[in-house]
Amino acid sequence: MIEADIAVVGGGIAALTAAAEAARRGRRVQVFTGALPGGLLLSIEAVQGLPEHPDGIAGYDLCPMAQEAAMDAGAACIADEAGAVQRDGGRWLVRGADAALSAVNAINAVSARALILAPGSRLRALGVPGEERLAGKGVSHCASCDAPLLRGKTVAVVGGGDAACQEALTLAAHAARVHLLLRGEALRARPAWQQRVQAQPRIDLQPRTEVAEVLGDAAVGGLRLRDGRTLAVDAVFIYIGLQPATEWLAGAPATVALDSDGRIADDAAQGLFAAGTARRGNDGQAATAIDEAVAAARAADEFLA
Ligand SMILES: Cc1cc2nc3c(=O)[nH]c(=O)nc-3n(C[C@H](O)[C@H](O)[C@H](O)COP(=O)(O)OP(=O)(O)OC[C@H]3O[C@@H](n4cnc5c(N)ncnc54)[C@H](O)[C@@H]3O)c2cc1C
């Protein structure tokens, strides 16, 4: 076990920004990043809402840069997920999830006076037959990864928010036809996304359309819809919201309070701070995650002082 001033949990933009800011304030910082840092931004090309670099900056470049900045500032990264958190004599004890990785890293736990939790979120699944079986065989959550392989094909995007619109537009640059399937009556995305979707002739908006099953043997061949229709598609991309990655904290309700959606609330009196999409009240934007991360590092620093 090693001691730190601040333990940080997460490998996305929120955790890495918080770690960099806390280390720049002279704090000893240990970050459980998980085995593959980067988070949701890893699969996003153009990140809307962040200040634009003259040459543009891809989401998948942003987290490696943030990790480098955190390490340059003196934060130490542990390539394991945090598996448990507990209070231990006025300190926070964070244990690694994977015994084999703990052995490789030669660290199985971090004891720290303050804790910043930023484990982010996973994309919600539809929960219909065929979805899990055909994952990676046409069922995807990464348009920018798969779009170039779908030139001239027909695909479906499920969802009506910003992420669904953004990814439908990415796919429309390659695919022949993109069916954008909405459960409700209208898109929920911000007006700028709605206008771009409506102006793209290859996107076909289908309101009041729910997927009942993903069809196909070796690969996706179509979708069975709840109204009984079948839609022939070569791939389906699912963006129906985020699920906070906080199940591993549910066993410690006395130490870390989660709301009914599984999001984390700060407990400043105990030196517990949250940032990013797993924090209560976060709006899902990367700029907000960065803002919350800097605020969390500052609050943890003040708590220690
Ligand atoms: C398709 C799509 C398009 C988007 N486009 C935009 C956009 O254009 N502009 C914008 O501002 N935002 C966009 N977003 C949202 C953006 O991705 C998020 O705001 C941002 O990634 C949140 O960062 P985070 O650090 O909170 O979480 P995440 O990115 O989810 O990162 C969390 C990290 O923590 C790790 N982790 C989880 N549990 C543990 C644990 N127990 N221990 C250690 N590590 C753990 C995860 O593996 C992951 O690496 C988009 C999202 C999607 C899905």
Side-chain angles (χ1 to χ4, degrees), residues 154-169 171 177-189 193-194 196-198 200 202-211 223 229 231 233 237-240:
T154 298
V155 303
V157 172
V158 185
D162 286 357
C165 288
Q166 190 175 351
E167 302 302 83
L169 287 159
L171 287 159
R177 196 101 190 111
V178 180
H179 299 291
L180 182 51
L181 311 182
L182 321 181
R183 193 171 59 171
E185 198 63 45
L187 290 170
R188 288 174 291 103
W193 286 120
Q194 298 200 23
R196 287 184 59 191
V197 161
Q198 273 145 9
Q200 169 50 267
R202 282 193 290 278
I203 299 180
D204 153 49
L205 211 58
Q206 296 205 18
R208 299 178 304 281
T209 303
E210 282 189 66
V211 177
L223 301 173
R229 283 183 297 144
L231 195 62
V233 295
F237 294 78
I238 300 157
Y239 301 104
I240 55 168

Side-chain angles (χ1 to χ4, degrees), residues 85-128:
V85 165
Q86 67 185 79
R87 291 296 273 161
D88 182 30
R91 298 178 69 86
W92 292 98
L93 187 64
V94 186
R95 292 185 192 284
D98 185 323
L101 280 177
S102 293
V104 172
N105 296 324
I107 298 169
N108 62 4
V110 172
S111 167
R113 278 179 57 212
L115 174 62
I116 298 176
L117 291 174
S121 303
R122 299 189 186 94
L123 288 159
R124 251 181 232 285
L126 281 169
V128 299

Side-chain angles (χ1 to χ4, degrees), residues 230-249:
T230 300
L231 195 62
V233 295
D234 301 295
V236 56
F237 294 78
I238 300 157
Y239 301 104
I240 55 168
L242 300 177
Q243 173 84 48
T246 54
E247 330 70 51
W248 60 284
L249 289 165

Side-chain angles (χ1 to χ4, degrees), residues 8-16 32-44 46-50 63 78 80-83 97 118-123 141 162-164 166-167 190 193 239 242 245-246 248 275-278 282-289:
V8 179
V9 175
I13 194 67
L16 296 168
F32 281 92
T33 62
L36 179 64
L40 290 177
L41 289 177
L42 270 188
S43 60
I44 299 163
V47 183
Q48 307 290 319
L50 289 182
C63 283
I78 304 166
D80 188 6
E81 291 204 343
S121 303
R122 299 189 186 94
L123 288 159
H141 292 286
D162 286 357
Q166 190 175 351
E167 302 302 83
R190 278 175 290 181
W193 286 120
Y239 301 104
L242 300 177
T246 54
W248 60 284
T277 57
N282 178 281
D283 66 0
Q285 294 300 301
T288 310

Side-chain angles (χ1 to χ4, degrees), residues 132-153:
E132 210 177 310
R133 181 174 54 82
L134 293 165
K137 297 169 185 156
V139 174
S140 173
H141 292 286
C142 183
S144 57
C145 317
D146 296 346
L149 308 172
L150 293 163
R151 187 163 292 280
K153 306 270 187 189

